[in-house]
Amino acid sequence: MVFHETYMKTAIELAKKGEGYVSPNPLVGAVIVKDDIIIGSGYHTKYGGLHAEREALKNCRTSPKGASMYVTLEPCSHYGKQPPCALAIIESGIDTVYIGSSDPNPEVNGKGIQVLRDANIKVVTGLLKEECDSLNTFFFHYIATNRPYVTLKFAMTIDGKIASHSGKSQWITGESARAQVHRDRKRYQAIMVGVGTVFQDNPVLNCRTKENPVSPIRIICDTKLRTPMNSKIVQTSKEIPTYLATCCTDKSKHSPYEMYGCSILVTKQQNGHIDLNDLMQQLGKIGIDSLFVEGGGTLNWSLLQENLVNHIQCYIGNKVLGGQSAKTAILGTGFDTPNDSPAFKLSNIMCFDEDILLEYDIIT
Ligand SMILES: NC(=O)c1ccc[n+]([C@@H]2O[C@H](COP(=O)([O-])OP(=O)(O)OC[C@H]3O[C@@H](n4cnc5c(N)ncnc54)[C@H](OP(=O)(O)O)[C@@H]3O)[C@@H](O)[C@H]2O)c1
């Protein structure tokens, strides 16, 4: 009896080990099986490194001739940073390939499957497709739009406040919810906030997970370049790549930040702030496929208004703050009626001690 799904699940778990290291490439895992024994396995470990199929072939303990490969994403058929995986599979003598997701990258898009079939390799597609597809939500969005996938994340109290009337927000949720935020940061290529959050909270926005912490790139939306030079963000920008997105074109104002290690991204202006559409285009061009927005309600509103949000993570902590002037998660002018709100689909609910995480996908 052959456990096709079990082998693909193993490949999926392997693929996840690449989280935080491969962007803007996809997460991919592969397992090679002969006589019902896994003889080799591998995953895409880092951007520019060997693809999962070649890793699995390299790790084979015995000859893969006549074996089956289980791979979460269609093997590539073009020369990129690595030679085509379909070629390596053909040369290895593997006779069956089970594939989870097809690769929408125009350079692959069915060609990988065709190349294998032309070489008389049996190809079975769509094995655990949904699970394999969900590995690469960011990659699929990025390939289709050339812009990052955007998640808004905020923590609010039972009465819907993200900060007190005096601006204090640390901490609305407990330790285990905050540990989840750090695990999530690792999955995204960049974290973004507005300069208002830097003024009020002076955050570091790094990734403090126990397992192999990799901090995402940090992006601060700062129209007039007001980020304090002594902020933790600026002071740690030699250790963690940091972009200040601004409309300020005065080079003499850029250079002190640059000396600390920040990079400056000049964008067009819209409604007196940086133009977020222009910013998304520029971020896409520099290879940023995913953004975790942890800003305040001002930036959150602008992103929603511009239809730039794909997903929302709303934490509800077991506290109340009250106060008419205490901020909520979405500020700006607001929508006129509930019908004007974007449509959301509830995609996940989790509990962390007394706190709740609600996740929503925006329906386009
Ligand atoms: N509980 C939570 O999850 C959480 C998370 C983050 C923050 N907070 C709290 O939220 C408060 C800060 O709120 P905030 O609304 O001031 O923070 P914010 O949204 O992070 O920053 C707002 C600032 O970003 C700048 N910005 C640049 N381009 C923008 C654009 N296109 N659209 C909108 N803003 C743009 C604006 O200043 P310029 O135009 O001058 O650059 C604006 O004033 C603090 O009290 C903080 O503690 C809570």
Side-chain angles (χ1 to χ4, degrees):
M1 186 169 171
V2 182
F3 300 102
H4 300 301
E5 297 200 348
T6 309
Y7 294 132
M8 188 58 94
K9 279 186 180 152
T10 306
I12 291 170
E13 289 312 309
L14 283 167
K16 287 181 187 163
K17 291 186 172 190
E19 270 177 357
Y21 301 99
V22 302
S23 293
N25 277 350
L27 293 168
V28 190
V31 165
I32 299 173
V33 178
K34 199 170 174 178
D35 301 328
D36 272 347
I37 293 170
I38 295 181
I39 59 163
S41 63
Y43 64 100
H44 187 33
T45 55
K46 64 168 197 269
Y47 180 71
L50 279 187
H51 290 182
E53 300 90 321
R54 284 181 181 271
E55 279 284 351
L57 287 167
K58 189 185 80 183
N59 296 335
C60 273
R61 294 188 299 276
T62 58
S63 164
K65 201 165 176 0
S68 298
M69 178 182 276
Y70 296 81
V71 58
T72 55
L73 183 70
E74 175 182 359
C76 63
S77 51
H78 63 292
Y79 284 84
K81 287 205 182 309
Q82 296 292 337
C85 290
L87 205 64
I89 295 171
I90 294 166
E91 284 167 359
S92 73
I94 277 179
D95 71 12
T96 308
V97 178
Y98 295 88
I99 296 173
S101 306
S102 22
D103 188 343
N105 181 348
E107 299 209 74
V108 187
N109 203 9
K111 294 190 200 95
I113 294 169
Q114 198 52 52
V115 168
L116 294 174
R117 285 189 172 142
D118 288 349
N120 290 323
I121 292 175
K122 186 180 165 204
V123 181
V124 179
T125 57
L127 180 62
L128 295 188
K129 184 178 172 356
E130 226 171 276
E131 288 92 324
C132 290
D133 282 354
S134 67
L135 283 171
N136 284 310
T137 309
F138 301 162
F139 172 73
F140 294 150
H141 174 85
Y142 182 64
I143 284 288
T145 63
N146 288 320
R147 287 166 174 231
Y149 182 92
V150 176
T151 291
L152 288 193
K153 173 250 142 191
F154 51 83
M156 65 181 202
T157 56
I158 297 169
D159 59 332
K161 305 292 189 184
I162 65 159
S164 71
H165 65 89
S166 59
K168 297 187 185 68
S169 60
Q170 291 161 344
W171 300 107
I172 285 172
T173 49
E175 260 176 39
S176 78
R178 299 205 311 274
Q180 176 62 24
V181 172
H182 283 273
R183 285 193 289 277
D184 273 330
R185 280 182 181 174
K186 185 173 174 262
R187 299 193 295 117
Y188 289 79
Q189 214 181 344
I191 300 180
M192 185 162 96
V193 299
V195 69
T197 297
V198 179
F199 276 127
Q200 181 63 42
D201 298 347
N202 193 16
V204 189
L205 302 177
N206 60 354
C207 189
R208 302 189 282 271
T209 52
K210 281 192 203 111
E211 338 75 50
N212 246 350
V214 202
S215 287
I217 294 166
R218 301 173 301 187
I219 298 158
I220 313 298
C221 296
D222 180 3
T223 313
K224 304 178 204 79
L225 267 192
R226 296 184 292 143
T227 299
M229 217 52 86
N230 63 357
S231 61
K232 290 180 186 162
I233 292 282
V234 175
Q235 294 292 321
T236 56
S237 55
K238 285 221 165 80
E239 293 127 58
I240 306 171
T242 304
Y243 286 92
L244 302 181
T246 184
C247 296
C248 169
T249 53
D250 180 350
K251 292 256 191 289
S252 68
K253 283 183 95 180
H254 296 182
S255 48
Y257 290 105
E258 288 167 338
M259 274 164 60
Y260 273 109
C262 300
S263 304
I264 307 287
L265 272 182
V266 176
T267 74
K268 294 178 197 154
Q269 194 172 123
Q270 196 199 25
N271 303 329
H273 295 301
I274 65 164
D275 180 334
L276 293 169
N277 275 291
D278 183 25
L279 176 63
M280 293 302 151
Q281 247 166 19
Q282 294 197 43
L283 295 179
K285 276 199 188 127
I286 56 178
I288 293 181
D289 66 359
S290 49
L291 263 188
F292 198 47
V293 180
E294 298 194 61
T298 313
L299 184 60
N300 290 350
W301 164 253
S302 296
L303 285 161
L304 273 172
Q305 215 185 10
E306 292 300 318
N307 290 320
L308 291 171
V309 179
N310 302 101
H311 188 74
I312 288 191
Q313 285 194 338
C314 167
Y315 284 89
I316 305 175
N318 63 336
K319 298 189 176 152
V320 291
L321 276 168
Q324 261 183 20
S325 60
K327 287 181 172 166
T328 58
I330 316 291
L331 293 169
T333 43
F335 296 114
D336 192 31
T337 71
N339 284 344
D340 296 327
S341 162
F344 296 96
K345 185 180 184 316
L346 183 64
S347 62
N348 190 27
I349 304 179
M350 285 169 91
C351 286
F352 299 92
D353 299 330
E354 302 304 317
D355 305 325
I356 304 171
L357 168 62
L358 299 172
E359 296 195 70
Y360 297 91
D361 290 325
I362 290 223
I363 302 163
T364 44

